[in-house]
Amino acid sequence: MVYIIASGKGGTGKTALACGLSFAFAERGIRVLMIDGDTATRSLSTAMNVYESAVFDLSDVAFGTVSVAEAAISHPDYGNILVLTSPMEESSLTETCVADAVKQAKSDNLADVIIIDGPAGLGSGFRRCAMGADKGIIVATSDAISLRSADLAAAELERLGVNDLRMVVNRVSKKITGRGGMPNIDDAIDLAALPLIGYIPEDRKVITSLALGIPITKQRGSRAAASYREIAGKLERSDL
Ligand SMILES: Nc1ncnc2c1ncn2[C@@H]1O[C@H](COP(=O)(O)OP(=O)(O)O)[C@@H](O)[C@H]1O
Ligand SMILES: [Mg+2]
C-alpha cells in the first residue's frame, strides 16, 4: 500500500506523522519505504537521521542514474525502514518521478508499505506525490482553519484519483479534547467531513525527535508515540 501524507495548511505535522507511522510499522516487522516528497526542506532527512549518509536522492532515480534500492538509505536504528531523500531543487524532478519510484520499489519488493511525505501546498509537488499514491492520510491541527483546509486537500486528492482518505488530527491538547466551546474531536470530524483515523496529542518530545533525528518510538513515555502505534495498528488491520 502506498500512502501520501498530505495537508491543506502547511506545518500541520505531516513529517512527524510520516516518521511516527514508519517507526510504528517497523516495530511490527513491516518493511517501510519513505519517499520525501517535500523539496523545500530537508526535514525528513534530518528527522530520519539520514542527512549525512544520503548520496543519491529522488532526482538521481528520476534520471535513471541509480535505482531506488541504490538511492534509499536504511534508518540507523530501524533496518526495515528505507528513506529516499529529496533534492532541494524541484527543477531536477520529473512529473512522474514519484510514481516511477513507487513502481520500481514495488517490482523490486523493497517494502510492504510506502509512505510519501507530502509537501506544503497543493501545487505541482503535491500532484507529483499524489500520482504515486493509493491512499491519503490528511493531517490537520485542531483549529477550524486547518480542519477546513483539510477538505481542500481531500478534494484535490480525489480529483487526482486518490479516493481512499483518512484524517488525523494532530497536536490535540488536553484542554481542547472533550471540553465545551473549543473544537473537540467530534467538531473536528464535523468540520472536515473526512473519516478520522486517530488523533495525536501535543507532545514536546515530537519537536526534539524531529529536530535531533531521534525516533519518537525511542522516547520513553511519549504520548504521541502511543498514538502513532495505535494508528499503525488500525492501518495494518485494514490491510495496510
Ligand atoms: N504532536 C505534536 N506535538 C508537538 N509538536 C508537534 C507535533 N507534531 C508536529 N509538531 C511540530 O510541529 C512542527 C511542524 O511539524 P512537521 O511534521 O514538520 O509539519 P509538516 O511536515 O506538515 O510541515 C514541527 O516543529 C514539529 O516538531
Ligand atoms: Mg514536512
Side-chain angles (χ1 to χ4, degrees):
M1 197 54 68
V2 187
Y3 291 102
I4 176 174
I5 314 287
S7 71
K9 201 166 161 272
T12 56
K14 293 180 292 297
T15 299
L17 180 71
C19 296
L21 282 181
S22 297
F23 294 132
F25 279 138
E27 284 180 342
R28 293 173 162 261
I30 295 165
R31 298 173 304 150
V32 183
L33 169 67
M34 303 181 81
I35 300 178
D36 190 354
D38 187 2
T39 44
T41 68
R42 284 275 168 90
S43 58
L44 185 70
S45 303
T46 306
M48 296 305 284
N49 201 6
V50 297
Y51 190 84
E52 305 280 334
S53 47
V55 176
F56 299 110
D57 60 41
L58 188 57
S59 65
D60 301 298
V61 174
F63 289 96
T65 315
V66 288
S67 64
V68 175
E70 287 165 321
I73 320 269
S74 291
H75 188 274
D77 301 320
Y78 290 90
N80 52 354
I81 302 179
L82 291 172
V83 185
L84 181 56
T85 60
S86 164
M88 291 298 276
E89 284 288 309
E90 179 134 10
S91 59
S92 61
L93 293 175
T94 59
E95 213 184 322
T96 60
C97 68
V98 173
D100 295 342
V102 164
K103 211 169 150 190
Q104 201 187 110
K106 279 182 176 170
S107 75
D108 291 349
N109 188 24
L110 292 184
D112 306 308
V113 177
I114 300 175
I115 294 181
I116 303 166
D117 183 19
L122 304 177
S124 59
F126 182 86
R127 269 200 306 281
R128 185 166 53 233
C129 291
M131 280 172 70
D134 306 315
K135 294 190 178 190
I137 301 179
I138 295 173
V139 190
T141 47
S142 57
D143 59 286
I145 293 170
S146 177
L147 288 164
R148 289 208 180 90
S149 66
D151 276 349
L152 295 176
E156 189 60 10
L157 279 178
E158 280 171 352
R159 201 179 67 79
L160 296 165
V162 186
N163 297 303
D164 194 340
L165 305 176
R166 297 284 179 282
M167 186 175 69
V168 167
V169 182
N170 188 29
R171 308 195 73 161
V172 177
S173 75
K174 274 185 189 159
K175 284 184 213 113
I176 289 174
T177 29
R179 292 269 176 91
M182 298 284 273
N184 60 24
I185 293 302
D186 295 334
D187 296 338
I189 298 168
D190 290 347
L191 274 170
L194 276 167
L196 186 78
I197 192 161
Y199 71 90
I200 321 285
E202 174 72 26
D203 181 349
R204 290 179 62 185
K205 288 180 175 145
V206 173
I207 300 168
T208 49
S209 276
L210 289 185
L212 302 175
I214 303 164
I216 188 73
T217 42
K218 303 274 186 198
Q219 301 257 28
R220 282 183 149 266
S222 162
R223 295 175 65 232
S227 294
Y228 296 135
R229 289 186 178 109
E230 202 180 304
I231 295 169
K234 280 187 194 169
L235 292 172
E236 191 185 8
R237 283 192 292 279
S238 69
D239 235 4
L240 288 175

